[in-house]
Amino acid sequence: MVVASVTGAPGVTTTALAVAAAWPADAGGGVRPVVVEADVSGGDLMIRFGLPAAPSLLDVAAAAGQPYPGSLLGAVRELPFGVRAVIAVPGRGPCREAVRLLAGEGGRRVLLGDDHDGGTVLLDVGRLSGDVEPLLAAADRMVLVTRGGAESLTHVSACGLDAEACAGRLTLAVVGPCPYPAVEIADTLGIQRVLMVPWDTKSVTAMNNSRPGALRTSGLRLPPLMAAARTLACQLAGLRQDGTTVGDTASDRPDESNGSPLVGWSRTGRVPVLGVEESGS
């Protein structure tokens, strides 16, 4: 599953980490997901948590061309708040080459694993670019992260992403304050699934904390970011919040009349893209 943005720094890495932390325990055969830093601009987690430079994405990329590249799990680190990750070193040069190798046939084979492998890979590719197009094509799901202002949403509408080719795979995660309802964004941009993700300073601080267990991911009254991440994780895993499987039926679509702030479905599935700045708030 690819997590990306169109422009700027709207919180792609934070969203990917939050989704991994909130991943339902009964999804993917009970195997915890792995976040892979695959941003051509370089990684952040190594510096954030003071981790050694190896193993990293560079090792995964170097092995991708081998006849028997091994498992992605060989490069996995355990972050303090209970998320498994493959980190990338800082710096555009080495990371861009690593992502290029990862996007090749051998790299995609490592990401997808063998038939007996379980679990999910959350690929944090940062800003969309031509380097990651093969990874987008291979992904089962895509999460496009954006801020909620008119400028950011207009960039999404103008990015040239083929909504029809991505139909059924794409979720737009709108991070932070947004004056537009989710349903209006979905209809205007022609994206079926739109999720509003509140910015939650306490959860973000906990994800930057080196103290184990600082992030609360379960229980009643979850922090706003983690509650939204739980909703997104269940959606990506094909589960309802109660753990049952989501079907492609009308009853599984949120009722627009209930004023739900979380998920909006487009009424037609494909509508002309209008100027977001012309939409009412």
Side-chain angles (χ1 to χ4, degrees):
M1 301 184 181
V2 170
V3 187
S5 69
V6 172
T7 186
V12 175
T13 300
T14 298
T15 301
L17 293 174
V19 168
W23 196 259
D26 49 354
V31 179
R32 287 186 299 153
V34 174
V35 175
V36 178
E37 281 193 298
D39 189 336
V40 296
S41 298
D44 299 317
L45 300 180
M46 189 187 87
I47 301 299
R48 183 180 303 178
F49 295 108
L51 300 172
S56 73
L57 181 71
L58 300 184
D59 299 283
V60 175
Q66 304 299 319
Y68 302 99
S71 170
L72 182 70
L73 298 180
V76 161
R77 309 290 189 87
E78 187 81 23
L79 300 183
F81 51 95
V83 167
R84 303 193 299 174
V86 175
I87 66 168
V89 299
R92 183 177 183 86
C95 284
R96 184 170 188 177
E97 178 63 16
V99 171
R100 187 187 67 80
L101 292 171
L102 200 66
E105 182 179 351
R108 295 197 307 271
R109 189 171 69 248
V110 172
L111 292 174
L112 294 172
D114 297 326
D115 293 338
H116 64 273
D117 289 331
T120 299
V121 173
L122 295 169
L123 206 60
D124 168 12
V125 302
R127 187 172 176 175
L128 287 176
S129 66
D131 297 297
V132 301
E133 285 184 1
L135 295 172
L136 297 181
D140 295 312
R141 299 283 189 275
M142 295 169 53
V143 179
L144 199 59
V145 182
T146 182
R147 294 291 185 171
E151 296 87 353
S152 298
L153 293 171
T154 301
H155 280 302
V156 173
S157 71
C159 73
L161 195 66
D162 190 336
E164 291 183 351
C166 297
R169 297 193 298 144
L170 179 62
T171 298
L172 183 68
V174 182
V175 176
C178 179
Y180 311 105
V183 171
E184 183 178 340
I185 295 172
D187 282 351
T188 302
L189 300 183
I191 296 175
Q192 287 184 320
R193 287 183 289 276
V194 176
L195 177 74
M196 312 305 280
V197 181
W199 192 253
D200 173 3
T201 302
K202 288 185 177 180
S203 293
V204 173
T205 300
M207 277 190 276
N208 293 332
N209 198 321
S210 58
R211 179 171 59 86
L215 181 65
R216 190 159 68 87
T217 61
S218 61
L220 299 176
R221 299 182 64 84
L222 278 175
L225 172 59
M226 298 314 301
R230 179 73 174 182
T231 298
L232 179 54
C234 288
Q235 181 188 102
L236 293 173
L239 300 175
R240 298 186 184 90
Q241 294 271 16
D242 60 5
T244 58
T245 302
V246 173
D248 188 20
T249 64
S251 63
D252 284 320
R253 296 189 175 191
D255 183 357
E256 294 175 8
S257 64
N258 66 8
S260 169
L262 288 179
V263 181
W265 292 79
S266 68
R267 298 181 184 87
T268 62
R270 179 67 174 171
V271 296
V273 174
L274 306 176
V276 176
E277 62 272 24
E278 297 175 1
S279 302
S281 59

